[in-house]
Amino acid sequence: MTTAPPANPETASKAERGRRRRLAVIGAVVVVVLFAAALVIGQSSKSSPKPPGQQVGSQVDDTIPASIANLPLTDETGHQTSLAAFKGKIVVVNPFMTLCQEICPITTAELNQVDEAVTKAGLQDKVAFLNITIDPERDTPQRLHAYRDFAQLLPNWSLLTASPENLKMLWSYFGVGYQRVSEDAHHAGTDWLTGKPLTYDVTHSDVTTFLDPQGHRRYVLQGMPLGSNAPLTSGERAFLNDEGRANLADAASASWDSEDAVQVVGWLADKHIKPVG
């Protein structure tokens, strides 16, 4: 039996050092790979905004039918348009009337603050805010145009009206009910534009709907927004009646706030948007 010669201590030492270097290199590579993976995962989560939870609103995915998307609407300049004309943009659709004294001014002010955040994020050309009336008898294009200054709306707002028949079809699809009621002669407000006493009111449900650029209905906020921080103009604030002023302080009845709406827009734009205020 042949006995193996004793190992050369110097050669063994070099081999051991080489092995240790290889292990060190492998370990360093593993650390780098794990760090890179963690970084990618972190960036991925940051680049994927989420909508608010179902306790705030409802996430949906319905394609708006052509019969609704193509309904003729008239803007404040008298030009005809439609929901289909806004395809390619995120669209925020809100029912309102220029002579509302309770919730509409608060909702408009909250959404205008959302638009301010959208504008600061550089997305103003990709998002459109639509206030569509539920009071076509009084909300003529001329009155809608005056309301833009009254509410100090940003440029990417559109104020729209239509025939009573078309508005009924539109709001029926979006789940907005409304009804004309007589004003109490002893408590009737005064028209902020003409100074004349108001003769009737229009009660309606409060439903703010968000459409994606493909024309799908994607998120719905129902109910009154939080009014305590609503940035109403002096004119809007002065026009509120007793119920409207109570709504400003009624946090318990509020369903959502401007930060919730900003989060919805950010989700649809796939971009984190910093709320204003």
Side-chain angles (χ1 to χ4, degrees), residues 66-110:
S67 58
I68 299 300
N70 295 318
L71 278 174
L73 303 172
T74 303
D75 68 17
E76 64 190 279
T77 68
H79 290 107
Q80 193 172 95
T81 186
S82 65
L83 289 180
F86 295 91
K87 194 170 183 179
K89 295 186 177 185
I90 296 165
V91 182
V92 184
V93 181
N94 182 61
F96 95 119
M97 63 177 186
T98 62
L99 290 170
C100 176
Q101 296 181 279
E102 294 88 24
I103 295 179
C104 297
I106 300 172
T107 303
T108 297
E110 284 289 284

Side-chain angles (χ1 to χ4, degrees), residues 121-188:
L123 298 173
Q124 66 273 18
D125 295 332
K126 297 182 179 180
V127 184
F129 291 79
L130 311 186
N131 259 3
I132 306 178
T133 189
I134 43 87
D135 184 17
E137 180 177 331
R138 294 182 295 193
D139 283 342
T140 63
Q142 293 78 15
R143 175 178 282 277
L144 293 176
H145 184 67
Y147 187 82
R148 175 178 290 278
D149 290 334
F150 181 71
Q152 296 179 11
L153 298 176
L154 293 173
N156 55 335
W157 278 76
S158 292
L159 305 174
L160 305 170
T161 186
S163 68
E165 296 76 19
N166 285 344
L167 287 173
K168 184 177 180 180
M169 290 176 60
L170 179 95
W171 289 130
S172 177
Y173 171 77
F174 284 112
V176 175
Y178 55 98
Q179 182 179 9
R180 176 170 166 166
V181 295
S182 297
E183 286 276 13
D184 183 342
H186 298 289
H187 298 92

